Amino acid sequence: MPTPPKDPVMLLSYVNTQLRDCYPTLEEMCAALGMGQEELEKKLAEIDYCYDRGQNRFR
């Protein structure tokens, strides 16, 4: 399993691709990849992105 990028912009791209292609929810993605959901949301909030449950992506 690849390590998610550290850079927030690259992480955003990685996470949105995973959500689009592989996982129906953020919760499932975080569980499957061993990522802390709260930490992920906080990191992406630093670059003004938040999770949109209806679209299953960060925007």
Side-chain angles (χ1 to χ4, degrees), residues 19-56:
L19 289 169
R20 181 191 70 216
D21 295 348
C22 305
Y23 300 99
T25 67
L26 179 61
E27 294 82 3
E28 287 185 42
M29 184 199 75
C30 288
L33 299 178
M35 300 173 79
Q37 182 176 336
E38 192 173 310
E39 181 181 327
L40 174 63
E41 290 187 87
K42 187 175 182 178
K43 187 161 191 167
L44 293 179
E46 292 174 2
I47 58 169
D48 297 323
Y49 281 82
C50 63
Y51 182 63
D52 181 325
R53 188 173 300 278
Q55 293 190 9
N56 193 36

